[in-house]
Amino acid sequence: MTGNKSKVLNGKAKPEEKQAMLPNGNRGTNGSIASEPTENIFLFIPNIIGYFRIVLAVASLYYMPLHPRTCSLLYSISCLLDALDGMAARHFNQSTRFGAVLDMVTDRCTTACLLVFLSSAWPRWSILFQGLISLDLASHYMHMYATLVMAGKDQSHKRVSQSRSRILNLYYNNNKVLFAFCAFNELFFIALYLLSFSSPTLTPSLLQPLPDTLGSSTQPANPAHPAVTFFANPYSAAALELARANKMDSFWPWVLVAISSPAMAGKQFINVVQLVKASNWLAEGDIEARRAKGLPHKKSK
């Protein structure tokens, strides 16, 4: 009968329509969403937390040149939420590859931006900060790529066996160890950022008296001589923050540097280990691939 939704047409079975995967993780038929239960990966709770981290990080970058207290608060909250999104992923069973990459990219970008500011604050040490940025990006990219190529797409970069590396196994498989190293690493750089506004030892220009009018300076982290473009009014919120910044005590930032420096050094060592292990893993894969192709060719006598 013409009114029936039969799959038999002219005596032949009507082929099943293919379902297409939509970008949000839903399945549709010929461009339409299927009636079966669907879920949007982009709206998972851990990923929403990740978006909020990005907003806080961007806000901290906006306040970074002139407002050390506001910037440090926003930046610290963004870093602490890194632990919360992982807890939410495990609690709601919403661990995804997109969320893992979003989390790692956010971490790398925020740390790199802070180190860029420190490079401009202390040009003499810029090569050191540039080296830390390069090491951080290179080690994590090599590790992610090696895991994807050698272990398969379903293998998490945090699943490192002891046979591969005991250090990385402890670092990635123990949440407390991972959080401690990451937290103290960021704390060290935040403390350096605060010292650029408070320590005459590291920033001698802080000893210079405030001018009658806000001038310009070639040193971005110098609150005594900021380059004012958006806030020309000396009674603006930025100017008031500058006055408070010049009176910032450097005692606690130095304490934070002393406490966090061992963990920061350990984190850089872990990055080196991660880079070396990933390189060796990829080299092992290259050797196996070349052997499968009969390479190198034996020299004929």
Side-chain angles (χ1 to χ4, degrees):
M1 298 177 62
T2 57
N4 296 334
K5 295 182 180 179
S6 175
K7 295 184 179 180
V8 179
L9 183 63
N10 296 330
K12 296 182 180 180
K14 185 178 180 181
E16 293 287 344
E17 294 179 333
K18 295 182 179 180
Q19 289 185 334
M21 179 66 74
L22 300 178
N24 62 359
N26 300 337
R27 291 184 179 275
T29 302
N30 292 336
S32 62
I33 300 177
S35 58
E36 63 184 18
T38 58
E39 54 185 7
N40 191 330
I41 299 297
F42 298 131
L43 296 181
F44 277 11
I45 294 178
N47 297 336
I48 294 177
I49 297 176
Y51 307 147
F52 189 56
R53 287 189 61 203
I54 296 175
V55 173
L56 290 174
V58 173
S60 70
L61 297 179
Y62 176 78
Y63 288 108
M64 188 171 286
L66 298 177
H67 297 258
R69 293 175 177 83
T70 303
C71 171
S72 299
L73 177 62
L74 295 173
Y75 189 94
S76 300
I77 295 175
S78 177
C79 292
L80 291 175
L81 288 179
D82 186 18
L84 182 60
D85 62 3
M87 296 173 57
R90 292 186 293 270
H91 178 75
F92 295 103
N93 194 23
Q94 292 182 343
S95 299
T96 59
R97 287 189 289 268
F98 169 76
V101 174
L102 176 67
D103 185 56
M104 176 174 288
V105 170
T106 303
D107 291 339
R108 306 284 74 75
C109 291
T110 52
T111 303
C113 289
L114 179 55
L115 290 175
V116 166
F117 181 88
L118 294 179
S119 297
S120 63
W122 295 307
R124 182 178 300 179
W125 302 100
S126 61
I127 189 172
L128 176 61
F129 296 120
Q130 291 166 356
L132 292 176
I133 294 174
S134 301
L135 175 61
D136 191 40
L137 295 177
S139 65
H140 283 85
Y141 176 81
M142 291 282 286
H143 180 66
M144 287 283 288
Y145 186 80
T147 303
L148 179 64
V149 173
M150 301 300 296
K153 64 179 182 179
D154 294 328
Q155 179 72 20
S156 171
H157 69 281
K158 293 186 178 181
R159 294 181 182 177
V160 181
S161 62
Q162 289 188 354
S163 60
R164 179 63 55 186
S165 172
R166 292 185 178 181
I167 294 177
L168 295 181
N169 175 268
L170 175 63
Y171 176 72
Y172 279 117
N173 294 331
N174 190 317
N175 292 330
K176 294 181 180 179
V177 173
L178 178 62
F179 176 79
F181 273 101
C182 292
F184 280 105
N185 182 67
E186 296 296 336
L187 182 62
F188 177 83
F189 295 128
I190 293 174
L192 285 185
Y193 165 71
L194 293 175
L195 286 174
S196 70
F197 287 89
S198 61
S199 174
T201 303
L202 298 179
T203 310
S205 57
L206 289 175
L207 295 174
Q208 300 176 5
L210 283 171
D212 295 335
T213 59
L214 293 176
S216 61
S217 172
T218 57
Q219 187 173 2
N222 180 9
H225 303 282
V228 179
T229 55
F230 296 103
F231 307 100
N233 183 0
Y235 298 100
S236 65
L240 295 177
E241 182 67 14
L242 291 178
R244 289 194 294 268
N246 282 325
K247 299 178 181 178
M248 181 183 295
D249 187 5
S250 63
F251 173 76
W252 287 111
W254 277 117
V255 171
L256 295 178
V257 166
I259 294 175
S260 59
S261 56
M264 187 280 297
K267 180 66 166 61
Q268 308 315 314
F269 175 74
I270 292 173
N271 283 341
V272 173
V273 172
Q274 184 170 248
L275 180 63
V276 172
K277 292 296 183 180
S279 300
N280 292 337
W281 200 6
L282 288 172
E284 293 173 4
D286 290 334
I287 293 176
E288 294 177 359
R290 288 176 60 82
R291 286 177 178 174
K293 296 179 180 179
L295 299 174
H297 297 296
K298 295 182 180 180
K299 297 182 179 180
S300 58
K301 296 182 180 180

